[in-house]
Amino acid sequence: RGLAYSDKGEIELAIGDFDKAIKLDKKNTAAYVSWGNVYANKGETELAIRYYDKAIELDPKYVAAYNNRGIVYDNKGEIESAIKDYNKAIELDTKDAAAYVNRGIIYANKGEIESAIRDFSKAVKLDPKLAYAYVNRGSAYRKKGELELAKKDFDKAIKLDPKFAGAYLSRGLFYRDRGEMELAEKDF
């Protein structure tokens, strides 16, 4: 029920439910991660990290705790800590497409485009329906100047998720770069 409250934006009710779950079972790692997610969404990063840390303390193989903590570290600008967490998530579950995407985003932001493309490609291989992996890989191809590969990925993302605004924006930027303003305007 706490997750449902969280999804509806009823944060205080969600926190209350996660608190009850933890009081009933002090080793409920899913409740600690969910609690961390709520605090991360509220922008209370230190509390989020504390709950992810607790989940990891209870279960050092809890992939989602590492991945989610990595996102918080990334948002705080603690890039090396984020990469360390994504690496750990991947070490624990080599089929976790989200961890590859998250690490790839960091590599792309650092200008390590080949590493980013490698991670995004791995994510696409693991989950061919993951639209945001295609958008991120397309953006990396665009930075690298491989525009046809970029467009192919943007088109694939739009086909997978026709309501994904980021895919249209990315393809629009591609069209703008090529001087195809009419097509760019349609996507913007």
Side-chain angles (χ1 to χ4, degrees):
R1 190 173 68 175
L3 292 174
Y5 284 139
S6 179
D7 290 344
K8 293 187 331 187
E10 298 177 17
I11 303 304
E12 296 310 316
L13 291 173
I15 290 170
D17 270 13
F18 298 139
D19 190 39
K20 287 177 190 172
I22 289 169
K23 283 180 182 172
L24 291 171
D25 179 3
K26 298 266 188 236
K27 295 183 180 185
N28 186 336
T29 54
Y32 284 107
V33 168
S34 295
W35 218 350
N37 294 345
V38 167
Y39 283 117
N41 290 335
K42 285 179 68 174
E44 296 183 34
T45 56
E46 295 309 317
L47 281 172
I49 289 170
R50 188 167 73 197
Y51 287 107
Y52 297 138
D53 288 347
K54 183 64 176 177
I56 290 166
E57 176 188 320
L58 292 169
D59 182 359
K61 294 183 179 184
Y62 198 156
V63 174
Y66 289 102
N67 196 34
N68 294 359
R69 188 175 68 179
I71 292 168
V72 173
Y73 280 136
D74 185 13
N75 290 337
K76 288 180 65 178
E78 296 180 26
I79 303 307
E80 294 310 313
S81 293
I83 289 175
K84 183 178 174 185
D85 274 354
Y86 297 143
N87 287 343
K88 185 65 174 180
I90 290 166
E91 174 190 320
L92 293 170
D93 181 1
T94 58
K95 295 181 182 190
D96 184 353
Y100 284 102
V101 172
N102 292 335
R103 188 175 70 180
I105 290 168
I106 289 179
Y107 286 144
N109 290 338
K110 289 174 66 175
E112 297 176 22
I113 303 303
E114 290 300 326
S115 294
I117 290 170
R118 187 173 44 253
D119 274 359
F120 298 140
S121 295
K122 181 70 174 183
V124 164
K125 184 177 179 184
L126 291 169
D127 187 351
K129 295 182 180 182
L130 197 59
Y132 73 98
Y134 287 98
V135 169
N136 282 290
R137 186 174 69 179
S139 295
Y141 280 139
R142 185 172 156 259
K143 284 181 184 178
K144 191 177 174 192
E146 295 186 26
L147 299 181
E148 290 309 313
L149 289 173
K151 182 179 182 300
K152 183 179 173 185
D153 275 353
F154 299 144
D155 289 344
K156 179 70 172 182
I158 290 167
K159 183 178 179 183
L160 289 170
D161 185 356
K163 295 181 180 182
F164 186 12
Y168 288 99
L169 174 63
S170 296
R171 191 174 69 181
L173 292 170
F174 161 83
Y175 285 134
R176 187 196 65 191
D177 290 351
R178 293 181 52 143
E180 298 178 49
M181 298 312 291
E182 197 171 300
L183 290 171
E185 288 173 13
K186 286 180 182 178
D187 278 353
F188 291 145

